[in-house]
Amino acid sequence: MTIGVYDSGLGGLSMLRAIQAQLPNYGLVYLADTAFCPYGPRPVGELRQRALACANWLIAQDVGVVVVACNTASSATLELLRAELPVPVVGMEPGVKPAVAATRTRRIGVLATDGTLTGARFSSLVKRFAADVVVHTISCPRLVTQVEAGDLDGPATRNVLRDYLAPLQEQGVDTIVLGCTHFPFLSPLINEMVGPGVTVIDTSPAVAQQVARVVTALEAERKVAALRFATTGVPEQVAPVLARLWGSAYPIEQAIC
Ligand code: DGL
């Protein structure tokens, strides 16, 4: 079986990497909705339209599962996709629960997009799991831009990150949640800036385990692992950043959806 994965852009490659580590024998198709990136500031209605378009494009590629490798899209569209699609859908949410388990100062920080932080799913998550913890949220649109540009540790990215992290450091936060799939690409830099006393939470391994549970429950036949990449943007522009983030160059197809 082939697993379909989509995100607004290339950030979801962090999720794809975790899925490939869990399920090395499955085919993977990754769709970057680059023509509509970033998702963070977009209205819910538009995110829902894009979710249906991207998921249906993946289903046309014969995938047996759709993974929404995007916290923003998951927040706005999971119920709709689960109601509409003929295949199981796995989504994600910021790792508030593991952060609450890890914090000693009872102060956690969440880096995410506006869409994720203002969504009903996030307030319910905080209410359920972090009622007795101080949760500092930071909307970080400029980090999405830096990762989409393939700038993971240059001076501009360092400056942007310093601005976003400063209030968390001032507040004595000891646990930081990466609530956007673009941000694990900045983990080395974030760890360097906050130091060893701060735990940085990336939920992609846990979500990949959930994908593995869903895929193995379907008992689908394994086949030779193929890996395909596509974008709704301009493939020639996306290809160099894909090579940088994925670690090796791959052809990237044009997706029309
Ligand atoms: N990677 C996305 C997320 O996990 C969305 C970033 C964006 O397009 O604004 O939220």
Side-chain angles (χ1 to χ4, degrees), residues 35-92:
F36 293 85
C37 188
Y39 278 178
R42 291 188 190 274
V44 166
E46 191 177 13
L47 294 177
R48 291 187 176 153
Q49 276 173 12
R50 292 314 302 155
L52 288 173
C54 290
N56 282 317
W57 185 88
L58 288 169
I59 287 168
Q61 315 308 306
D62 213 20
V63 304
V65 174
V66 168
V67 181
V68 183
C70 175
N71 292 266
T72 314
S74 294
S75 158
T77 71
L78 274 187
E79 287 81 6
L80 172 75
L81 289 179
R82 287 187 175 137
E84 296 289 325
L85 298 187
V87 300
V89 179
V90 178
M92 48 202 312

Side-chain angles (χ1 to χ4, degrees), residues 13-39:
L13 293 175
S14 60
M15 196 55 241
L16 189 74
R17 178 78 75 201
I19 295 170
Q20 194 186 46
Q22 280 279 326
L23 296 163
N25 297 322
Y26 285 83
L28 300 169
V29 184
Y30 183 86
L31 174 61
D33 195 15
T34 319
F36 293 85
C37 188
Y39 278 178

Side-chain angles (χ1 to χ4, degrees), residues 7-12 30 36-42 47 68-74 92 112-114 116 140-141 144-145 148 178-183:
D7 177 38
S8 62
L10 294 172
Y30 183 86
F36 293 85
C37 188
Y39 278 178
R42 291 188 190 274
L47 294 177
V68 183
C70 175
N71 292 266
T72 314
S74 294
M92 48 202 312
T113 68
D114 241 9
T116 299
C140 309
V144 175
T145 314
E148 282 298 313
L178 305 181
C180 170
T181 52
H182 282 72
F183 302 166

Side-chain angles (χ1 to χ4, degrees), residues 164-193:
Y164 286 138
L165 292 175
L168 297 183
Q169 291 172 302
E170 276 159 25
Q171 293 294 329
V173 157
D174 71 347
T175 308
I176 295 178
V177 176
L178 305 181
C180 170
T181 52
H182 282 72
F183 302 166
F185 288 105
L186 301 170
S187 287
L189 193 53
I190 295 173
N191 279 312
E192 178 197 312
M193 285 181 168

Side-chain angles (χ1 to χ4, degrees), residues 10 29-34 57 228-233 238 242 251-255:
L10 294 172
V29 184
Y30 183 86
L31 174 61
D33 195 15
T34 319
W57 185 88
R228 286 174 58 198
F229 294 97
T231 178
T232 55
V238 176
L242 169 67
I252 181 155
E253 303 163 34
Q254 176 76 73

